[in-house]
């Protein structure tokens, strides 16, 4: 699940005019629920909530394995992030924390970031030293975003939200222990329907590029470096003019992992925004390619 989230980043924004609009417009909250599958089998669920007020944003997410995966591992996690949006630059992360739990252990990561530079990191319990772990240099902690903030992708100032050029970006991510790039490139445009959203999405190919903090000799690391079967579907969020993942697909060593939205809700300060089309909550994404 960590690789799925990192590869996404994954999961850019609009210029001065759009920023002024975001600063003076009403507060908005985007809530997205995801179904997580692996090799076609249900694995768990995740819920993400992103609130925008002026240039500031706050995000929180919860993920939980279900069924047999829950029985075997007890896996669940919670994460939070906050920061500011500034034109079409990457989000400026301020804080990030994540708690991951299994049936027999727990790890907490807390991180503070200032102007793109990692100021403080706490990992409890600390990672065990490994001879193949690539050292993290001071330069690797500059000009980065945290894994949650990386999911907010501001649209380019000169482009509309669904312009294919918005796919073409490199996202520099630091998760408290490792530094990586997620490189996105345009693949196609589709029209999709999920409960709460009906419209176009950008389908971006994704590549995982480890920089430091990873274990270079692990088979999983090498597999992900060579992995060309990763993609993210980005849906537009008009108010703050960001793109946000509707679906993430990552080929793993045991099959395709997917995180697919089952519910999409954009609410203003007063009431939930009406969906463009009423649909059953258990209906999967329907998509067609925009020619």
């Amino acid at each position: 699940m960590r690789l799925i989230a990192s590869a996404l980043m994954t999961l850019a924004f609009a210029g001065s005019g759009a920023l002024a609009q975001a600063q003076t417009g009403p507060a908005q909250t985007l809530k997205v629920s995801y179904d997580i599958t692996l090799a076609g089998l249900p694995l768990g669920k995740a819920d993400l909530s992103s609130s925008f007020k002026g240039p500031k944003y706050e995000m929180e997410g919860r993920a939980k394995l279900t069924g047999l995966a829950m029985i075997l591992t007890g896996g669940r996690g919670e994460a939070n992030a906050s920061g500011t949006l500034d034109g079409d630059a990457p989000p400026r992360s301020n804080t990030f924390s994540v708690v991951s739990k299994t049936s027999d252990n727990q790890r907490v990561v807390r991180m503070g970031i200032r102007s793109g530079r990692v100021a403080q990191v706490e990992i409890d319990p600390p990672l065990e030293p490994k001879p193949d772990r690539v050292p993290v240099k001071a330069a690797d902690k500059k000009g980065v975003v945290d894994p949650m903030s990386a999911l907010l992708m501001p649209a380019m100032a000169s482009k509309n939200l669904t312009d294919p050029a918005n796919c073409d970006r490199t996202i520099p991510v630091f998760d408290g222990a490792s530094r990586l790039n997620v490189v996105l490139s345009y693949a196609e445009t589709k029209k999709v329907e999920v409960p709460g959203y009906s419209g176009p999405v950008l389908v971006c190919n994704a590549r995982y590029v480890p920089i430091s903090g990873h274990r270079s000799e692990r088979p999983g690391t090498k597999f992900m470096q060579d992995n060309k079967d990763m993609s993210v579907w980005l849906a537009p969020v008009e108010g703050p003019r960001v793109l946000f993942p509707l679906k993430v697909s990552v080929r793993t060593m045991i099959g395709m992992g997917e995180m697919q939205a089952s519910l999409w809700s954009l609410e203003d300060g007063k009431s939930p925004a009406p969906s463009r089309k009423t649909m059953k909550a258990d209906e999967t994404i329907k998509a067609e390619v925009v020619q």
Side-chain angles (χ1 to χ4, degrees):
M1 289 175 58
R2 177 183 169 186
L3 285 176
I4 289 178
S6 295
L8 237 174
M9 300 306 110
T10 185
L11 356 109
F13 216 40
S16 58
L19 180 59
Q21 179 184 1
Q23 289 173 331
T24 58
Q28 289 185 310
T29 299
L30 174 66
K31 296 181 179 180
V32 188
S33 296
Y34 297 94
D35 292 329
I36 304 171
T37 60
L38 181 61
L41 300 175
L43 186 65
K45 294 183 178 295
D47 295 291
L48 292 177
S49 177
S50 306
S51 298
F52 307 93
K53 187 174 183 180
K56 298 181 180 181
Y57 67 85
E58 294 183 356
M59 305 176 70
E60 62 179 38
R62 291 177 174 82
K64 181 179 180 181
L65 300 185
T66 58
L68 182 60
M70 177 63 178
I71 295 173
L72 294 176
T73 69
R76 65 178 63 194
E78 298 180 4
N80 294 272
S82 66
T84 59
L85 297 167
D86 185 11
D88 56 6
R92 293 181 179 178
S93 304
N94 290 334
T95 62
F96 169 73
S97 66
V98 60
V99 179
S100 55
K101 303 177 182 179
T102 65
S103 56
D104 56 1
N105 63 61
Q106 172 178 301
R107 172 161 279 129
V108 179
V109 178
R110 298 185 182 91
M111 183 166 59
I113 304 176
R114 298 293 180 268
S115 301
R117 181 194 297 263
V118 177
Q120 184 178 13
V121 176
E122 297 178 0
I123 302 178
D124 183 26
L127 297 179
E128 296 180 7
K130 299 292 183 180
D132 64 336
R133 193 181 301 281
V134 178
V136 178
K137 301 177 181 178
D140 297 335
K141 298 181 181 181
K142 299 178 181 178
V144 297
V145 297
D146 67 80
M148 284 198 76
S149 298
L151 300 178
L152 297 176
M153 302 183 210
M156 297 176 63
S158 60
K159 306 293 183 180
N160 63 48
L161 279 166
T162 54
D163 190 289
N166 285 311
C167 263
D168 301 326
R169 68 183 72 207
T170 296
I171 306 173
V173 181
F174 186 73
D175 64 7
S178 60
R179 168 73 170 82
L180 61 97
N181 284 342
V182 177
V183 182
L184 301 182
S185 59
Y186 177 73
E188 60 182 327
T189 299
K190 293 179 178 286
K191 288 184 178 179
V192 305
E193 293 181 351
V194 298
Y197 178 76
S198 175
V201 296
L202 295 177
V203 180
C204 312
N205 294 322
R207 294 298 303 273
Y208 164 77
V209 182
I211 306 297
S212 61
H214 60 286
R215 295 180 58 189
S216 59
E217 298 303 316
R218 293 188 71 175
T221 300
K222 295 180 179 181
F223 176 86
M224 290 299 295
Q225 281 183 278
D226 297 333
N227 195 348
K228 296 182 179 180
D229 197 359
M230 296 188 288
S231 65
V232 55
W233 296 19
L234 299 176
V237 184
E238 293 287 350
R241 282 184 53 85
V242 296
L243 295 153
F244 199 83
L246 193 86
K247 179 181 178 181
V248 182
S249 300
V250 178
R251 174 72 62 184
T252 74
M253 298 177 71
I254 57 176
M256 180 63 73
E258 292 188 334
M259 188 172 73
Q260 179 170 294
S262 58
L263 182 64
W264 179 282
S265 173
L266 183 61
E267 304 173 4
D268 59 24
K270 297 181 180 179
S271 59
S275 63
R276 301 184 190 182
K277 183 177 179 180
T278 301
M279 299 183 66
K280 296 181 180 179
D282 61 351
E283 192 167 353
T284 58
I285 291 177
K286 297 179 179 180
E288 60 183 36
V289 177
V290 177
Q291 301 295 335

